[in-house]
Structure formats: C-alpha cells, structure tokens
Amino acid sequence: MSIPTHAEREVAVAVALDLRTFLRLRPRRDARVLVALPSIGVRLGWEAAPLRDLRAALPGDLEESKPPSLEQLDKLREFAGIAHGAPAAESLATLAFLYLYLAISAKYGEVPSMDIVVWSELPTGAGLGSSAAYSVCLAAALLTACGAIGCPLEEGKPTARWTEKELDLINRWAFQGERVIHGNPSGVDNAVGTWGGALQYQSGKITPLKRVPTLRILLTNTKVPRSTKILVAGVKDKLLKFPAIMNPVLDSIDAISHECECVLETMAVNPSLEHYPVLEELFDINQHHLNVIGVGHSSLDQLCQVTALHGLHSKLTGAGGGGCGITLLRPDTPSPVVEAAKRDLITCGFECWETSIGAPGAARVSTSSI
Amino acid sequence: MPPEALVVSAPGKAILHGEHAVVHGKVAVAVALDLRTFLRLRPRRDARVLVALPSIGVRLGWEAAPLRDLRAALPGDLEESKPPSLEQLDKLREFAGIAHGAPAAESLATLAFLYLYLAISAKYGEVPSMDIVVWSELPTGAGLGSSAAYSVCLAAALLTACGAIGCPLEEGKPTARWTEKELDLINRWAFQGERVIHGNPSGVDNAVGTWGGALQYQSGKITPLKRVPTLRILLTNTKVPRSTKILVAGVKDKLLKFPAIMNPVLDSIDAISHECECVLETMAVNPSLEHYPVLEELFDINQHHLNVIGVGHSSLDQLCQVTALHGLHSKLTGAGGGGCGITLLRPDTPSPVVEAAKRDLITCGFECWETSIGAPGVCLHSPPSMKAEILQALR
C-alpha cells in the first residue's frame, strides 16, 4: 500500500500493510494445473500439455525484463476463453497466472503440475496493492516450485524469508505480473509486497528504508468509488490553473515524506512514544494538503472527524476522492478507544480493519503456523 | 469650523488573505468592512470639550483652558511624524486621572482623544470647544479595526473642525469624501492615534479606515488596490478569546520546527493573496459571477493552510462546516484560534440561504453580521440622509 503524492517529482513513502494475500501451492501427480481464487470466483484448470503447446506458440520473448506484449496477452486471452467485456478482476488474475506460469517455466524449466489456492485479507480495487500481493505470491511460489529460488523454511520456524538476491528475482517477476494487470505500473506495489517495511519512491526510483518500526493503524475503506485517473488529472489541472499556489503545496508534501522517513528510521532504533505526536501532526498537515490539491471527499472528512472525536489522527491514503484512509494508533491507545472508533466508522457505512504498517514482505509460511 | 454638526464615519477592517504569513514577509490583502464607526462633532459656545463613547461607558469633559495648559506642559514635540512618547502619555494619563489597571478600552480611547486633540490644535490652531459622540457597529477587541476606525474618525473630525482640511459636503448629497491629499493627512494623524492605543501598530487598520476598498500589505509597505468590487459577506465572531501574541509565536515555533514543510505553505499563502488581488481587480472592471468560484476556492485553500500553520480552532472548523452545509465558503480572518471568520456570499445567493446560515451560526453561540467588504473609507455624512437609529445613537 502506498501513500502517493499525485506528482512524479515528489517523494512518496509506501508502507507494507499487515493485511496479506496467501497462496498455497500443492504439487499434483496428474499433469494438471489448477488455480483457484475463491473470493473473486476464479476456478481454472488446464492439462499440462496444452499449456506447453501454448508456451511454444506465444509470439516473442518471455524475458522478465521485457513487458508482456499485446499479442502475447491476446493469445493468452484466447486460450483461456476470456471474452471482451468479461469481469476485469477474474480475467486479469487468470492472465497474470498464465503469463507468469508460462514465462517462468520457459526460463527455468518445467513447473510441475500443481494446484494453487489464493486467499486475501485485502479488499480489491481499493488501491491497497491486492493485485501486486497476488503477483508477488505467484512469482515467489512458481519460482520456488521450479527451483529457481530456494525453499528456506526451517523446522519449527513459522516463517522464512528468501535471500536479497532471491527477493530481487521475485520482485522482477512480480512486476511482470503487475504489467499484465495494470499495463504500466509504477513497481511500488510489488516492491512493497516483496520487501515489506517501508520504501521511498521518487521519479521512478524505489529505495527501501533500512529499518522501520511496526505501527498500529486502523485502515478504513469508505467504499466510495472513484476514478484514480480522473483524480490524478484533476490535480494536474489545478497545478496548471494555480501553479504558484499549488507547487509549494507539493514541495511541502515532499518535505513531509522526508520528515516521516527520518522519524521512522529513528523509531526503528528508539521506539519511544515521543515520536507519535510528530507522526500525527504530519498526518494532519498532509491531509490538509490533499484537500487543497483537490482529492478530498466528504466521506474522508467524516472519517477524519470521527476518529478525531477519539483523539486519533487520520489521512486519506492513495487516490482520495473516497477510497481508503489510515488512522494512526499509538502503542498505548487503549482497546476501548480503538473499538469505539471502529464502531463509529462502521456506523458511517465504512469497512474497518485494525492492522499495522511496516509489515514483513514476501515470506514462506509454515502451514502448521497458519 | 462648520456652524452645525458634522458627522463622519470610518469602516472597520478584515484581512481577506495573508494573515500570519504577513508577519514573515508575505503579502496580505486587507479590506474595509462595511461595519462603521460614526462620530458626531458639534460646536459648543461654552469653552468646554466633551467626549462620549456610550457603548464603552466613556463620558469625559474638560474646560478648554486646562487643556491649553496641558498642551503647553507636554514634554517634547507633537509632530505627526513622531510617535507619542511614554512621558507624554504618562502626563496625559495623569491629567485624565487614569489609574494604572483602569479598564484598557476606556483609558486608551481617552488617551487617543486627548493626544489627537492637543497635537492637532498645537499644529493647526485652536480646536474650538465641542462635544463629540462616538458610536460603532464594530465589536471591540475582535481584530476588526475598531480602534483604528475611531482614530480615523477623530482625526478627520478634529482636522475639519480646526480647518486643516475642508468640509466637502454638497447640498443634496448624502456623503462626501475628502481629496487624496486631505485623506493622507487624516491617515497620518489616525496613525498617531493608533500609536497611542497599540504602541507599535502596522498602520494597516488606519489605512483601510481612511482609504476604504482593499489594500495590499507587505513588509511594512501599504499599497491601496486601485478598484475593488464590493463583496457581500457574513462576518462571524466565534467569541472564543485568544491571544494574538501566543498564536503568532506558535506559528514561528512551527516554522522553526518544520521549516521545509511550513515555508512552502507561507509561499502558497503569498500566491493566494496575489491571485486574489488579480481577481478583485478584474471583478472591479467586469463584475461577472464567474469569478466567485475562484474566490471561494482561495478561501478554502487558505483556510487549510491556516490550520496547517497552527492557528485553527474547533470553533472555526464549526463555522466553516455550518456555512458549508449551505453551500457557502468561509475562512478565519485575523489571528485565528477563535475570533472571527468571513463567509463569501455571491450576488445571487438567495436571502433564505443567508438567513438560514445566520440562524445556524447564531445557534452555535456566534455573533453574525451580514455586511460587505470593499466599503468606502472615511467620509462625511449629511445628517438628514442618515439612518434614524444611527442618528439616535449619536445624540
């Protein structure tokens, strides 16, 4: 999940949300490949042989540095029987799987027949990186299944992380999955999904922050639909209309991101309560700026006001105009306060999760620990 | 000295944009509020000088002779370019019997009168015996320029009474304005009155009271805007008390704590003031409705910035939310932390909407006036043309 600034030149800080997508891959003996994403109604299955034929028939390369081509995606759509106008979520999930399955097996050798089940704690289409989390899981699972990366689970340990080099490979393949789904993604979502923690994003450059604390938050989905494209265009319009008024606001947001990074890095070393007032103030200031650049919404004002009644500080996250907000919880925020805030948010008609940010990235999970 | 009474009035002032940022060298736009202070001066034949400000309980009277003696006894000059000295003010306090710890409003109003009366008569010749009544539509101590409106009225009336400036009232005309040169003189003396009251004032309030309309203020430099439209507004006083000094210090602290975050916000406010000036100047020539969305947006943006720099308050949030429910746009004006807010009304905002907004604001416990900005500066009134209730208040 990221906290973008709607303008390329500024710095954004993206953080990993502890709402996760899980993927279970089980080998099969019957030369079939099955994929299920029950929460979006996807249940697919193919024989391994037609998939091999499809791979051979695909035009062009399947290099992980090259974006998937339109011809390749059309062929995959044809193979999977995806009609134009089919529901986007299901189609794109299918295409991403097929592309990664075929490309990874083309490069590293046959991916054995398997069945895959995917389940997520993340809402879809809410700007929270659910498609990237899926792509990262697919990439990690498929690369592990074909032996391109190791299988680092240790006896008795609930989770395990791959090496930096392996994570880099996962990330690059996950980015391919994102390209199938989004066309021209920034790469931030899959980077966060892979590396976890927090990262800085500026002008296409992604820099993980070394150590970040885990911060408790409420994540709220106002469920007010909006078009990211329209919101981004609106900000651009305002910038053109009032450059001398708006450009400084973007500079201020840039400074907020930098300040936040400093505070997070300090907190990772010295997790004192004294840093929270600063984080809260940065939330408040940034929320004002986001309203100024025109991506506010009455539902988000309501979210902020409701949490403020409980002494909590919130800001929109992502595109704005509705969508999601995050509320910072201090380590010593009493449970009754959190529960009361959640109740009030739900009463507004919002969805609300108590979770954290700065979560771990892609990880292998021991099934007995789930 | 005209044989009959003369009535003058001067407008209060509100900051349209740029409050707090102006302290840090950015541009502010100050506008004249059409809530006015009125002063009636009537000559007397009995060598006495009487001053009444009934709404703040001031009722003073002196014989002309002791005043002449006082003037002679004052240390130092009474030049309108020199600030009143502490010694001079002490002597005036002594004369007027103002004890330390006496209520500020009354004391300062008295001192300002005495200083201007003595200084103006020292320079231009005897100001004849007279009685003066002052009445105001402006709340005091709310940052709306009530003391400056008073000083401007005093200066204008006293200068007219002693013949330093003319009395341009024409037969049949309800009001009259002085020449530019005369207004400049009024302004300089009004500034002296403000110095007595505030010590080290910016000069903006008296400039607005004198010139009216709108003016730009930056780093001590005051530039009247040539032509501005009259804009309808609601002026609301949350009545939440605050210390301007503490708020200004708080902004400075935030600037020091987060310079890279805060300095751009001040730059943005500066740009808002400039944009607002452009729009006002365009509207003065072409008063089309199409400009109002821009003015409203500037209000909203500036209000966000003022919250960011730390001068917001829950009462002001409430003011903005309440007016927003009626489709109206508001911002705090002045120091913030409570105090006053302004709400823009379009020319075609229906009466029921305005009334409903006012009702809701009053329900919040606020005071609310429907008035306008860009009002005329200090002027002379022909009494027969004035509203009965004002004439009554000045009796």
Side-chain angles (χ1 to χ4, degrees):
Chain A
M1 173 198 71
S2 47
I3 314 172
T5 56
H6 289 274
E8 297 226 318
R9 61 193 170 93
E10 268 63 39
V11 170
V13 178
V15 290
L17 201 51
D18 207 20
L19 296 175
R20 308 183 74 82
T21 293
F22 296 86
L23 181 155
R24 192 212 64 204
L25 186 155
R26 246 189 342 211
R28 297 179 66 88
R29 291 182 188 289
D30 62 356
R32 299 189 73 215
V33 173
L34 305 177
V35 179
L37 292 85
S39 54
I40 60 167
V42 168
R43 219 167 275 281
L44 308 158
W46 302 281
E47 303 287 328
L51 287 172
R52 268 195 303 270
D53 295 341
L54 174 63
R55 190 172 66 230
L58 275 182
D61 290 315
L62 291 168
E63 282 299 308
E64 86 258 22
S65 51
K66 279 188 166 180
S69 71
L70 290 170
E71 295 85 8
Q72 290 171 332
L73 295 176
D74 279 342
K75 199 117 184 92
L76 296 181
R77 241 182 236 108
E78 192 193 324
F79 175 85
I82 292 169
H84 277 281
E90 298 162 30
S91 322
L92 294 171
T94 307
L95 287 178
F97 169 77
L98 278 175
Y99 186 87
L100 286 178
Y101 175 87
L102 296 172
I104 287 174
S105 54
K107 179 137 191 185
Y108 301 105
E110 193 67 35
V111 185
S113 76
M114 66 186 72
D115 75 65
I116 279 174
V117 181
V118 178
W119 179 80
S120 185
E121 295 172 318
L122 289 160
T124 54
L128 298 177
S130 62
S131 70
Y134 169 65
S135 296
V136 170
C137 281
L138 270 183
L142 292 169
L143 288 167
T144 307
C146 73
I149 61 181
C151 186
L153 257 190
E154 283 173 39
E155 190 76 40
K157 291 258 168 76
T159 60
R161 297 266 289 154
W162 285 273
T163 65
E164 289 295 298
K165 220 171 149 191
E166 290 171 326
L167 288 171
D168 185 64
L169 193 63
I170 291 171
N171 188 44
R172 280 186 280 131
W173 281 106
F175 187 49
Q176 290 295 83
E178 279 284 83
R179 279 168 150 165
V180 170
I181 295 171
H182 293 294
N184 193 17
S186 65
V188 173
D189 295 30
N190 45 280
V192 171
T194 303
W195 304 105
L199 54 85
Q200 181 197 91
Y201 174 58
Q202 181 177 25
S203 305
K205 188 159 167 289
I206 295 170
T207 314
L209 300 187
K210 285 196 182 45
R211 289 180 58 181
V212 288
T214 303
L215 302 177
R216 296 170 66 202
I217 61 157
L218 288 180
L219 178 74
T220 303
N221 188 358
T222 63
K223 303 196 289 190
V224 172
R226 69 286 161 75
S227 154
T228 302
K229 201 175 271 193
I230 290 175
L231 288 159
V232 170
V235 173
K236 188 175 172 188
D237 284 348
K238 261 196 215 264
L239 268 172
L240 289 170
K241 187 174 163 196
F242 297 127
I245 297 173
M246 294 295 164
N247 279 312
V249 177
L250 298 185
D251 291 341
S252 183
I253 294 175
D254 185 77
I256 290 169
S257 293
H258 283 299
E259 183 70 33
C260 180
E261 282 177 44
C262 286
V263 176
L264 290 179
E265 285 176 345
T266 307
M267 287 175 84
V269 174
N270 168 31
S272 152
L273 280 179
E274 76 192 53
H275 301 292
Y276 283 88
V278 178
L279 290 179
E280 291 168 344
E281 189 163 7
L282 296 180
F283 266 43
D284 293 344
I285 295 171
N286 202 350
Q287 179 61 15
H288 278 295
H289 289 343
L290 289 160
N291 274 296
V292 164
I293 66 177
V295 299
H297 189 271
S298 55
S299 60
L300 294 162
D301 292 338
Q302 194 182 18
L303 189 163
C304 291
Q305 280 158 32
V306 163
T307 56
L309 290 172
H310 298 279
L312 304 172
H313 299 254
S314 307
K315 65 176 282 293
L316 70 86
T317 175
C324 293
I326 38 172
T327 303
L328 191 62
L329 302 175
R330 297 189 181 201
D332 60 345
T333 304
S335 258
V337 170
V338 178
E339 291 311 312
K342 281 162 77 177
R343 265 200 311 276
D344 288 350
L345 290 164
I346 288 164
T347 303
C348 295
F350 304 155
E351 274 176 316
C352 189
W353 298 265
E354 189 181 342
T355 180
S356 59
I357 54 177
R364 182 76 192 268
V365 182
S366 135
T367 39
S368 53
S369 70
I370 296 181
Chain B
M1 171 74 170
E4 354 41 59
L6 61 90
V7 178
V8 302
S9 76
K13 149 232 123 210
I15 303 290
L16 194 57
H17 289 292
E19 49 269 278
H20 286 284
V22 72
V23 173
H24 300 277
K26 309 300 176 194
V27 170
V29 179
V31 291
L33 264 183
D34 207 20
L35 296 175
R36 307 181 75 84
T37 292
F38 295 84
L39 182 153
R40 191 214 64 206
L41 186 154
R42 246 191 341 212
R44 297 179 66 88
R45 293 184 188 286
D46 62 355
R48 299 188 73 214
V49 174
L50 303 177
V51 180
L53 291 86
S55 56
I56 61 168
V58 168
R59 219 166 277 278
L60 306 159
W62 302 280
E63 303 287 329
L67 288 170
R68 270 194 303 269
D69 296 339
L70 174 62
R71 191 172 66 229
L74 275 181
D77 291 315
L78 290 167
E79 282 300 307
E80 86 258 21
S81 53
K82 280 187 164 178
S85 72
L86 288 170
E87 294 85 7
Q88 290 171 333
L89 295 177
D90 279 342
K91 198 120 185 89
L92 295 181
R93 243 184 232 108
E94 192 192 325
F95 176 86
I98 292 169
H100 277 282
E106 298 163 31
S107 320
L108 294 171
T110 306
L111 287 178
F113 170 78
L114 279 174
Y115 186 88
L116 285 177
Y117 175 88
L118 296 172
I120 286 173
S121 53
K123 179 136 192 188
Y124 301 104
E126 192 69 34
V127 186
S129 76
M130 65 184 73
D131 74 66
I132 280 177
V133 181
V134 179
W135 181 78
S136 185
E137 295 172 319
L138 289 160
T140 54
L144 298 175
S146 62
S147 70
Y150 169 63
S151 295
V152 170
C153 283
L154 271 183
L158 292 170
L159 288 167
T160 306
C162 73
I165 60 182
C167 188
L169 263 185
E170 283 171 38
E171 192 76 42
K173 292 255 169 78
T175 59
R177 296 268 289 157
W178 286 273
T179 65
E180 290 293 299
K181 220 172 151 190
E182 290 172 324
L183 289 171
D184 185 63
L185 193 65
I186 291 171
N187 188 43
R188 280 186 279 132
W189 281 106
F191 187 49
Q192 290 296 82
E194 280 284 82
R195 279 168 149 165
V196 171
I197 295 171
H198 292 294
N200 192 19
S202 64
V204 172
D205 295 27
N206 45 279
V208 170
T210 302
W211 305 103
L215 55 85
Q216 179 199 92
Y217 174 58
Q218 182 179 25
S219 303
K221 187 157 167 290
I222 296 172
T223 313
L225 299 186
K226 285 196 182 50
R227 288 180 59 182
V228 288
T230 303
L231 301 177
R232 294 169 68 203
I233 61 156
L234 289 181
L235 177 74
T236 303
N237 188 357
T238 63
K239 302 195 288 190
V240 172
R242 68 284 160 77
S243 156
T244 302
K245 202 174 269 190
I246 290 176
L247 288 158
V248 169
V251 173
K252 188 175 172 188
D253 283 347
K254 260 195 216 269
L255 266 172
L256 289 171
K257 188 174 162 193
F258 297 127
I261 298 173
M262 294 294 165
N263 279 312
V265 177
L266 298 185
D267 290 338
S268 184
I269 293 176
D270 186 79
I272 290 169
S273 292
H274 283 296
E275 183 69 34
C276 181
E277 282 178 40
C278 286
V279 175
L280 291 179
E281 286 177 343
T282 307
M283 287 175 84
V285 175
N286 166 30
S288 152
L289 280 178
E290 76 191 54
H291 301 293
Y292 282 88
V294 177
L295 290 179
E296 290 168 344
E297 188 164 9
L298 296 180
F299 265 40
D300 293 343
I301 295 171
N302 202 351
Q303 179 62 16
H304 278 296
H305 288 343
L306 289 160
N307 273 298
V308 164
I309 67 176
V311 299
H313 190 270
S314 55
S315 60
L316 294 163
D317 292 338
Q318 194 182 19
L319 190 162
C320 291
Q321 281 157 33
V322 163
T323 55
L325 290 173
H326 299 280
L328 305 172
H329 299 254
S330 307
K331 64 176 281 293
L332 71 86
T333 175
C340 294
I342 36 174
T343 303
L344 191 62
L345 302 175
R346 296 188 182 203
D348 60 347
T349 305
S351 256
V353 170
V354 178
E355 291 311 310
K358 280 162 77 177
R359 263 199 313 273
D360 288 350
L361 290 164
I362 288 164
T363 302
C364 294
F366 305 155
E367 276 176 314
C368 188
W369 298 264
E370 189 180 343
T371 181
S372 59
I373 54 177
V378 64
C379 60
L380 270 167
H381 293 267
S382 151
S385 69
M386 292 181 65
K387 280 195 251 183
E389 52 275 22
I390 298 177
L391 281 174
Q392 182 67 25
L394 292 172
R395 217 182 286 285

